[in-house]
Amino acid sequence: MKPAVRAVVPTLLLPLLLALALPPRALAHGDAHGSYAVPPEDLAVYRIRATTEQLGELRNGYDVWTYAWRDGEAIALLSSADVEELEGRGFTPTLDVERTENELKAVSGRELGAGRGSGIPGFPCYRTVEETYADLAQRALDHPTLASWIDIGDSWEKANTPDPGYDVRALVLTNSAIAGDKPDLVVMAAMHAREYTTAELVTRFAEYLLDGYGTDPEITWLLDQREIHILPQVNPDGRKRAESGLLWRKNADNDFCANTYNRGVDLNRNASFLWGSGGGFTCGETYRGPSAGSEPETQAVEGYLAAVFPDQRGDALTDPAPDDAEGVFISVHSFGELVLFPWEATATQTPNHDQLQTLGRKFGFYTDYSVCLECLGTASGTTPDEAYGEYGVAAYTFELGDSFFESCTPFESTIYPDNRDALLYAAKAARRPYQEPLGPEAIQVVATPPVVEAGEPVTLTAVLDDTRFDSNGFGNEPTQTIAAAFVSVDLPPSQQPAPSPLAPVDGTFDASSEAVSGVLDTTGLAVGRHLVYVFGEDSGGRRGVPTAVFLDIAEPPVFADDFETGNLSRWSSVVP
């Protein structure tokens, strides 16, 4: 706990750390029947030319959806009064006709598609809150040694009204048969209710892990050696409203902007760490809440992070997390095709900036997203700032896709598979997120043949690559020459004191990408399935994350003369 920064940052630090909020705006409150604070017919999507410094102010006063940084334009939902006010401040909002047509049909309350079998109406690829919960609960029942479905808190409506509301839940994935303290990856979604892609992404990621255990070597070793926490619906009250087609962002807290569709608190401005700058307008989409961590959903998440992650960072904002810190936290949002990292409350860099940027660029390699510190301006009270600031874990925001109500086609074809692979890398890196992303990746790992009898040789081939980083407009990650390659059988590299070397195929380690090979001696390996890990080291002595393949040691055949002589001692079992 860091009391100096858990609530409002001291006044002397505000000019340095936090963007100033725009003055509050007077909007008419809706009536008791739940109308908009601004009538929906008076809302439209606009593009606003703005610098990143101006963007921080815009985000604190308006419903800014994303920032097209290549064009220098914010995309925001505005009323006519907003437009007039911004023009008076020197901005020139331009109507985005296409987004207004495509997105605001939802705000009007019209049905998004004809009929419904399962999923959100008009979007069958996205599960509802109830479907998400039911499916993940069933997965935990089906895989009792790999999954636990736990209640971590309550939604606002469950905690404060006679309505049933929802539990806030987490799915914990790990092979419980393997004991020990394991590095943690926490992935959280649907904090902002209208962002359809996020909950489905993390739900499918969980299902992918459970389906692949025992058949996919990468998934198998990760669930053996990691603990992965999936928080699929951290704002279930708001999400139910968004499922009807409303552009609902906040939770359902009715104490603020009561009885309107603008009620509630923005949970991604309510986190306790660096809370308190901007977002003071109660009907605004970025309303921060009356105090740090005021909302039950925020309290559930913060309590969960405190239970999962050890405190690995000092109390001062300038204290770095140690190089050997463990843990990765990812908050999944949409939209913008971005990977963001702390500090989000200020343009000031964290003391672990370079290391956070390196891991972020690894994620960007898989997603082809831009990786940056200030792509969306500043925002105080975000959960990644909480995770890094309180516990020193590597923390990120993923901004998926190009729309809140993303159609199923891009979700299925690119958003899900690309981000799934980034999350797999995050699980690998969770042991040393500030060290191992600096090293090379092992790819194209093959064991030939994959099934042998003990004592027979196996040829291992792989490529060690130190260049797999994204560079979409915000600099290039330095790369190094590969210096060594290793193999470890059954033990992950962190537990293997003497891994065996692999050799460069061309005879010399002299490039940032190297093909390697070697012959594995299988003498003494027990019958059954083994994990074989390959990993590399660069010229700076930095080892990367491993990649694993399966190697099966087969039962040798039983010959007739063994039965005749009774010499069965060399066989592990007798064939009936």
Side-chain angles (χ1 to χ4, degrees), residues 1 5 50 91 108 112 156 196 208 226 257 285 294 304 342 349 376 380 390 406 410 436 473 481 501 565:
M1 192 71 67
V5 287
F91 292 96
S108 71
L112 299 179
W156 185 87
Y196 277 5
Y208 180 77
R226 300 288 185 266
C257 204
E285 291 294 342
S294 61
Y304 194 72
Q349 296 181 358
L376 290 181
S380 63
E390 278 293 330
E406 193 85 52
E436 292 182 336
T481 299
T565 63

Side-chain angles (χ1 to χ4, degrees), residues 114-144:
R116 175 189 172 197
S118 63
I120 296 173
F123 296 85
C125 59
Y126 304 128
R127 277 168 275 202
T128 64
V129 174
E130 289 80 6
E131 289 167 341
T132 301
Y133 277 17
D135 288 350
L136 293 182
Q138 186 61 50
R139 291 295 185 131
L141 290 174
D142 294 342
H143 302 274

Side-chain angles (χ1 to χ4, degrees), residues 183-184 225-226 323-328 426-436 493-495:
D184 295 285
Q225 304 295 331
R226 300 288 185 266
D323 288 345
D324 62 353
E326 291 187 354
V328 174
K428 286 189 175 187
R431 191 185 76 88
R432 291 290 184 270
Y434 298 136
Q435 293 178 328
E436 292 182 336
S494 61
Q495 301 173 25

Side-chain angles (χ1 to χ4, degrees), residues 3 9 32 38 64 70 101 114 138 147 226 234 283 296 302 327 407 431-432 454 478 482 492 519 532 566 576:
V9 177
V38 175
V64 174
R70 289 184 178 89
E101 170 62 25
Q138 186 61 50
R226 300 288 185 266
V234 297
C283 290
E302 291 187 355
S407 72
R431 191 185 76 88
R432 291 290 184 270
I482 306 300
V519 177
V532 178

Side-chain angles (χ1 to χ4, degrees), residues 221-365:
W221 87 258
L222 285 172
L223 289 186
D224 284 347
Q225 304 295 331
R226 300 288 185 266
E227 198 164 277
I228 300 172
H229 308 256
I230 307 295
L231 282 62
Q233 299 275 5
V234 297
N235 180 12
D237 293 343
R239 179 62 171 225
K240 284 312 297 180
R241 288 159 171 79
E243 288 173 9
S244 72
L246 299 175
L247 279 168
W248 198 286
R249 172 185 171 97
K250 300 183 285 185
N251 73 349
D253 191 331
N254 203 38
D255 292 336
F256 313 102
C257 204
N259 302 319
T260 75
Y261 289 167
N262 292 90
R263 68 193 256 195
V265 170
D266 182 352
L267 299 177
N268 206 37
R269 300 297 185 275
N270 190 239
S272 299
F273 200 93
L274 293 181
W275 175 89
S277 177
F281 174 53
T282 57
C283 290
E285 291 294 342
T286 58
Y287 176 52
R288 68 192 180 216
S291 60
S294 61
E295 304 309 292
E297 298 93 344
T298 305
Q299 294 160 18
V301 171
E302 291 187 355
Y304 194 72
L305 296 184
V308 169
F309 294 125
D311 187 348
Q312 303 168 99
R313 204 182 71 81
D315 289 351
L317 291 175
T318 53
D319 288 341
D323 288 345
D324 62 353
E326 291 187 354
V328 174
F329 171 82
I330 297 173
S331 181
V332 185
H333 289 259
S334 74
F335 60 94
E337 298 187 339
L338 301 169
V339 175
L340 311 175
F341 55 93
W343 301 116
E344 293 188 7
T346 168
T348 303
Q349 296 181 358
T350 71
N352 294 103
H353 171 83
D354 290 349
Q355 296 153 309
L356 287 166
Q357 181 173 258
T358 295
L359 177 53
R361 285 176 172 168
K362 282 288 188 185
F363 298 147
F365 173 82

